Amino acid sequence: MLCKTDAMWFCGKCRIVMEQHAVTDIEIEKRCKQIMESYEERITSLKKTVENKCDEDKVKQIVCEEIKSCNEEMVKMMVKEEVSKIEAPITEEGCDEDKVKAIITEEISKIQKPDNKGDSDSTNNEIDKAAKNITRKETVTNVLEEINERKSRENNLIIFGIPEIDEESKEVRENTDKERLNELFKDCKIQLDKENLKTIKRLGKFNKEKLNRPILVKLPSAEPKITLFRNIHYIKTNPKYAKVGVSNDLTQAEREQEKRLWDQAKKQTEEEISGDYHFRLPELIVRTRDDKPKIIGITEVKPKNNRYKPGISEYSLAEVSDYNMFGKNLDVDTGRGLLLYIDKQLDASQVHMNTEFQENLFIKINLNQSDQLLLGLIYRSPSNRSQEYTKQLNLLTTEACNKGYSHILIMGDYNYPEINWDSWNSPGDSTESNEYRFLENLQENFLFQHVTRPTRWRGTNTPHTLDLILTNEENMVSNLEYQSPLGKVITVP
């Protein structure tokens, strides 16, 4: 029986069921509203992303229109404003802001400033103005073309030294090259099928008398290329690849820049009349550009008797990779100077030691979970033969080993030419000699020495192992590569 005050005409049981369904419908409606709000927010975000994405044609159009009536400073200002609008990474195909800035800054610096040599007739002024506008327009166009060309080459490799078969059929030659390249990739621990080699092309015209043309290899992505450079030691230590070399596919502008760096390094070498090696930044840039080591340690950064003391920023390797730089004794009169470059992807911080031995630089690198690596760089002067000097060096080594780090790696120029590292003996085995006390200290701290070949020689002098790598783990270091001197430099891949 329903009373007049009832709003809905249901019996008691039916009313209970109806109210339960009504609550469920309200919850569904709320959930739908939340989903719609989420979709609207996502659509808005995607819209902003698309709007912020760099449109090459739009950039060309804007720059070409604005460039007609602006001078050099206005060009720089305009580029700075437009580049600053790219605030967040869009996709892998989006613009690389740092690369854009670097290329545009380099190209804009080539624009000649307008001459102000007084009045001339109006016809000449108009001609000069038109010529300058064309020059600026061409410069900006060249910048964009250079960006596109570098982008198109970023997955490419140039491989030298792989012999070419004497066969008229181009298809047969290409199949043979693919087989040999697959073998090379396999030896470098890279799994890559023939189908993944997008393009293989011998550079230059086929000549039966010169069957050694370089090979251009286009890979599907940058990953196998990066892995190849990371495992390059497999090539360099394999006798069958003794004449094989690998490099990036550089643009004309990049090749010219690399040539300038090599020429600069060569000039510095020729001007060094004392025979004393010192740090040469241009050559280091060229050597490390391809494999981009995670850690680079350099001793004797400053040449002897040098009055100029550059700041640490002048040793930047920004052209190679993004490094944190740590230095010691660079802008002071004492010491020869130490430098450590640590990849910014590594969590690194400097560790100050209590020892009085000054030519040391220690860095803590956080690894997985609680694991930490203590990385040290040492320079021991060969002219100081005092027992106190050796004592301070040994105290430094002991302090490093007692800090409780799970992994320890100390490298540097120790200048102990008399030590025989095959037998870990010093001359005469005198217990009072500096060499004996140094070896004894290494054994007391359970350290391993990994350099097994001479690292220094001049002319007809006897080669010596002066540069050492010390660790607290026997298998921490492998595949050491011995290269020609660059000042005093040790790289850890």
Side-chain angles (χ1 to χ4, degrees):
M1 192 74 181
L2 297 172
C3 65
K4 294 181 179 179
T5 57
D6 290 326
M8 293 180 289
W9 297 87
F10 296 102
C11 66
K13 292 182 179 180
C14 292
R15 182 171 183 169
I16 292 172
V17 174
M18 182 278 299
E19 288 177 349
Q20 290 176 345
H21 282 285
V23 171
T24 303
D25 291 342
I26 292 172
E27 291 178 351
I28 291 173
E29 184 179 350
K30 287 182 179 179
R31 179 58 182 157
C32 289
K33 185 178 180 180
Q34 291 176 354
I35 293 173
M36 289 302 297
E37 290 176 350
S38 175
Y39 273 117
E40 288 177 0
E41 183 179 348
R42 186 176 177 187
I43 290 170
T44 303
S45 175
L46 289 173
K47 184 178 179 181
K48 290 181 179 179
T49 298
V50 172
E51 288 175 352
N52 287 335
K53 187 170 181 179
C54 183
D55 186 333
E56 180 183 334
D57 293 333
K58 186 176 179 181
V59 170
K60 284 185 177 180
Q61 182 181 352
I62 293 173
V63 173
C64 290
E65 289 176 359
E66 296 295 330
I67 204 72
K68 293 178 181 177
S69 59
C70 62
N71 56 26
E72 178 186 356
E73 295 303 320
M74 289 179 66
V75 171
K76 291 181 179 179
M77 186 181 301
M78 178 189 67
V79 170
K80 185 177 181 181
E81 289 175 355
E82 291 300 321
V83 172
S84 66
K85 294 178 182 177
I86 308 173
E87 296 178 349
I90 309 305
T91 62
E92 291 184 359
E93 289 76 23
C95 288
D96 185 333
E97 181 179 350
D98 293 333
K99 187 179 289 186
V100 170
K101 286 182 178 179
I103 297 174
I104 290 182
T105 301
E106 179 183 350
E107 292 297 328
I108 288 298
S109 65
K110 299 176 182 178
I111 300 176
Q112 298 295 324
K113 295 182 178 180
D115 297 329
N116 295 318
K117 297 181 179 180
D119 297 330
S120 61
D121 61 61
S122 58
T123 303
N124 290 335
N125 284 340
E126 289 299 324
I127 293 174
D128 291 342
K129 184 177 180 180
K132 289 169 185 174
N133 286 338
I134 293 172
T135 302
R136 293 190 178 98
K137 181 178 179 180
E138 289 176 348
T139 300
V140 175
T141 302
N142 291 341
V143 169
L144 296 172
E145 290 175 351
E146 178 69 15
I147 293 172
N148 290 335
E149 188 173 359
R150 291 189 184 186
K151 181 69 177 176
S152 67
R153 293 171 180 244
E154 63 182 7
N155 297 338
N156 298 357
L157 286 171
I158 304 292
I159 300 181
F160 304 88
I162 294 183
E164 188 174 4
I165 63 171
D166 185 0
E167 173 62 49
E168 291 292 342
S169 172
K170 183 178 179 180
E171 183 179 355
V172 174
R173 294 199 306 267
E174 287 184 353
N175 288 334
T176 303
D177 288 340
K178 282 188 177 182
E179 291 175 0
R180 291 178 176 177
L181 287 172
N182 271 320
E183 184 179 359
L184 182 145
F185 277 99
K186 185 177 179 180
D187 289 338
C188 287
K189 314 300 181 185
I190 301 172
Q191 297 298 326
L192 195 67
D193 298 331
K194 284 185 180 181
E195 292 73 19
N196 289 330
L197 294 174
K198 292 177 62 178
T199 302
I200 288 184
K201 178 183 178 182
R202 289 276 184 174
L203 301 179
K205 189 176 180 180
F206 176 68
N207 186 342
K208 289 187 176 183
E209 296 180 0
K210 297 180 180 179
L211 297 173
N212 200 23
R213 293 179 295 165
I215 304 176
L216 170 64
V217 182
K218 292 187 177 182
L219 298 170
S221 67
E223 184 179 352
K225 174 181 174 179
I226 294 171
T227 306
L228 176 65
F229 282 123
R230 189 177 293 142
N231 297 342
I232 199 72
H233 54 270
Y234 291 118
I235 293 178
K236 295 184 178 180
T237 56
N238 192 328
K240 71 178 179 180
Y241 298 125
K243 297 182 179 181
V244 173
V246 182
S247 75
N248 283 306
D249 183 16
L250 303 179
T251 66
Q252 180 66 28
E254 290 176 306
R255 291 195 295 271
E256 290 175 356
Q257 181 188 28
E258 187 166 296
K259 184 178 184 302
R260 287 195 299 269
L261 290 171
W262 275 115
D263 290 343
Q264 185 179 348
K266 183 179 179 181
K267 182 179 179 181
Q268 289 179 346
T269 303
E270 292 172 349
E271 290 176 351
E272 180 58 54
I273 58 175
S274 66
D276 177 56
Y277 290 116
H278 62 272
F279 177 44
R280 299 181 181 95
L281 183 62
E283 186 177 350
L284 178 62
I285 291 173
V286 173
R287 285 199 186 189
T288 57
R289 177 179 287 160
D290 287 341
D291 52 0
K292 296 180 175 56
K294 296 290 184 183
I295 298 171
I296 303 175
I298 302 172
T299 66
E300 292 184 272
V301 177
K302 302 181 298 186
K304 291 179 181 178
N305 305 318
N306 188 34
R307 296 181 180 180
Y308 176 61
K309 300 178 182 63
I312 191 170
S313 61
E314 297 189 42
Y315 298 106
S316 171
L317 285 179
E319 298 179 45
V320 176
S321 188
D322 205 8
Y323 289 107
N324 283 319
M325 292 190 296
F326 300 89
K328 185 75 173 289
N329 295 337
L330 296 178
D331 53 358
V332 295
D333 293 328
T334 57
R336 294 295 301 276
L338 302 171
L339 261 179
L340 273 171
Y341 297 89
I342 310 294
D343 192 297
K344 283 192 175 180
Q345 294 181 356
L346 300 176
D347 182 9
S349 58
Q350 189 164 351
V351 177
H352 296 280
M353 310 297 281
N354 296 321
T355 181
E356 296 180 9
F357 189 90
Q358 289 302 308
E359 289 277 62
N360 76 86
L361 181 58
F362 280 83
I363 304 297
K364 174 184 70 176
I365 299 177
N366 293 318
L367 305 175
N368 298 330
Q369 299 178 350
S370 60
D371 268 4
Q372 292 181 325
L373 168 67
L374 181 63
L375 175 68
L377 184 63
I378 302 291
Y379 173 70
R380 174 188 169 275
S381 173
S383 60
N384 192 335
R385 298 288 300 172
S386 70
Q387 292 186 353
E388 180 63 23
Y389 188 57
T390 301
K391 178 182 177 182
Q392 293 301 327
L393 174 59
N394 292 340
L395 288 174
L396 173 66
T397 306
T398 301
E399 180 184 354
C401 293
N402 290 340
K403 282 187 172 292
Y405 289 92
S406 49
H407 309 284
I408 299 173
L409 188 152
I410 306 173
M411 59 186 179
D413 188 354
Y414 281 83
N415 285 303
Y416 280 118
E418 303 299 326
I419 293 180
N420 184 336
W421 288 104
D422 291 332
S423 59
W424 279 60
N425 287 329
S426 59
D429 285 334
S430 170
T431 58
E432 300 299 320
S433 70
N434 291 331
E435 289 82 359
Y436 181 89
R437 294 183 176 181
F438 174 67
L439 289 172
E440 185 179 42
N441 179 258
L442 297 185
Q443 293 170 337
E444 289 174 351
N445 288 294
F446 303 101
L447 294 178
F448 298 91
Q449 202 288 109
H450 297 271
V451 180
T452 58
R453 288 168 47 184
T455 60
R456 199 79 50 81
W457 59 88
R458 289 180 184 171
T460 58
N461 294 348
T462 303
H464 297 294
T465 304
L466 305 183
D467 305 289
L468 310 179
I469 299 178
L470 309 173
T471 71
N472 64 337
E473 300 171 49
E474 186 174 7
N475 298 320
M476 184 186 293
V477 176
S478 61
N479 299 314
L480 276 179
E481 181 180 335
Y482 300 83
Q483 297 185 358
S484 58
L486 170 71
K488 273 76 173 179
V489 60
I490 301 172
T491 63
V492 181

